[in-house]
């Protein structure tokens, strides 16, 4: 399986889109009786716990790659890589989302609701940025050294040589009598 590193511009796009969506949400619900602004403290706690979990799992894959850990399931290593990639992009998008809400609520900090929402969004933005960094670092740590898979040029060359070896061995053991043109073997019989 071949996986590529997440390009840097995808994080930038996720932050920009998240910021636009978060700011639009605040602007759209500014004069409404209902609002979705802010981040419950439980969300910030869960995001911090998720980042910690991905960091620990990525560290274990790093120890395996360095040889400090003797055995690890490749499924676990791949799943850790997928979690790290997902956490990086989701962290960027959510940092933009909560950052956009924070930017739009700064002008209304005198109101208690906006002050509380700005504090919640500020904490959530910082946690999401940390999660994004953990995702990027975890993705780097989960890089496994390349193995010679079936499509690797060295493996193909070794397979080609293996396939040629029996044919060369069979032709070396067989001989042809020049006078009669009869094929014989050199294993123990003498052709006269």
């Amino acid at each position: 399986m071949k996986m590529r590193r997440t390009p840097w511009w995808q994080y930038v796009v996720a932050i920009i889109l998240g910021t636009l969506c978060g700011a639009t949400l605040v602007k759209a619900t500014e004069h409404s009786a209902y609002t979705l602004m802010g981040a419950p403290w439980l969300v910030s706690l869960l995001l911090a716990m998720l980042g910690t979990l991905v960091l620990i799992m990525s560290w274990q894959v790093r120890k395996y790659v360095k040889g400090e850990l003797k055995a690890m399931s490749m499924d676990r290593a791949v799943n850790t890589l997928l979690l790290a990639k997902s956490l990086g992009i989701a962290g960027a998008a959510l940092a933009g989302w909560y950052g956009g809400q924070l930017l739009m609520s700064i002008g209304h900090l005198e109101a208690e609701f906006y002050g509380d929402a700005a504090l919640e969004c500020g904490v959530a933005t910082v946690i999401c940025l940390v999660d994004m960094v953990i995702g990027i670092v975890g993705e780097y740590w989960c890089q496994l050294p390349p193995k010679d898979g079936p499509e690797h040029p060295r493996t193909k060359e070794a397979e080609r040589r293996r396939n040629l070896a029996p044919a060369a061995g069979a032709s070396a053991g067989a001989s042809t009598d020049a006078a009669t043109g009869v094929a014989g073997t050199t294993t123990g019989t003498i052709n006269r």
Side-chain angles (χ1 to χ4, degrees), residues 87-104:
L87 183 69
I89 293 294
L94 287 173
W97 172 261
Y98 293 124
Q101 291 182 28
L102 176 63
L103 289 175
M104 293 302 289

Side-chain angles (χ1 to χ4, degrees), residues 111-191:
E112 184 180 347
F113 172 74
Y114 282 100
D116 292 342
L119 177 63
E120 292 170 355
C121 288
V123 170
T125 302
V126 170
I127 289 174
C128 290
L129 287 173
V130 169
D131 279 351
M132 181 185 74
V133 171
I134 288 172
I136 293 169
V137 170
E139 186 177 347
Y140 175 75
W141 282 350
C142 289
Q143 286 182 334
L144 296 176
K147 289 193 175 184
D148 295 344
E151 60 276 341
H152 196 278
R154 283 187 290 197
T155 306
K156 286 181 177 180
E157 180 63 25
E159 182 68 28
R160 187 185 66 77
R161 286 184 185 164
R162 247 187 316 231
N163 289 338
L164 290 178
S171 65
S175 66
T176 305
D177 188 3
T180 62
V182 176
T185 60
T186 58
T187 57
T189 59
I190 299 174
N191 294 335

Side-chain angles (χ1 to χ4, degrees), residues 19-182:
T19 303
L20 290 174
C21 291
T24 302
L25 173 78
V26 173
K27 195 66 174 168
T29 60
E30 205 169 43
H31 302 291
S32 173
Y34 302 104
T35 183
L36 300 172
M37 199 171 104
W41 294 111
L42 179 63
V43 171
S44 297
L45 177 67
L46 290 175
L47 287 171
M49 289 171 49
L50 181 63
T52 304
L53 178 68
V54 171
L55 183 68
I56 291 169
M57 291 173 69
S58 299
W59 181 255
Q60 290 173 346
V61 173
R62 177 184 164 97
K63 286 174 58 176
Y64 171 73
V65 169
K66 286 179 141 185
E68 297 172 15
L69 197 62
K70 297 301 177 201
M72 175 173 276
S73 166
M74 286 302 108
D75 288 339
R76 182 174 176 191
V78 169
N79 289 337
T80 302
L81 173 64
L82 292 175
L83 280 173
K85 288 172 86 64
S86 300
L87 183 69
I89 293 294
L94 287 173
W97 172 261
Y98 293 124
Q101 291 182 28
L102 176 63
L103 289 175
M104 293 302 289
S105 62
I106 285 179
H108 308 289
L109 288 180
E110 64 276 355
E112 184 180 347
F113 172 74
Y114 282 100
D116 292 342
L119 177 63
E120 292 170 355
C121 288
V123 170
T125 302
V126 170
I127 289 174
C128 290
L129 287 173
V130 169
D131 279 351
M132 181 185 74
V133 171
I134 288 172
I136 293 169
V137 170
E139 186 177 347
Y140 175 75
W141 282 350
C142 289
Q143 286 182 334
L144 296 176
K147 289 193 175 184
D148 295 344
E151 60 276 341
H152 196 278
R154 283 187 290 197
T155 306
K156 286 181 177 180
E157 180 63 25
E159 182 68 28
R160 187 185 66 77
R161 286 184 185 164
R162 247 187 316 231
N163 289 338
L164 290 178
S171 65
S175 66
T176 305
D177 188 3
T180 62
V182 176

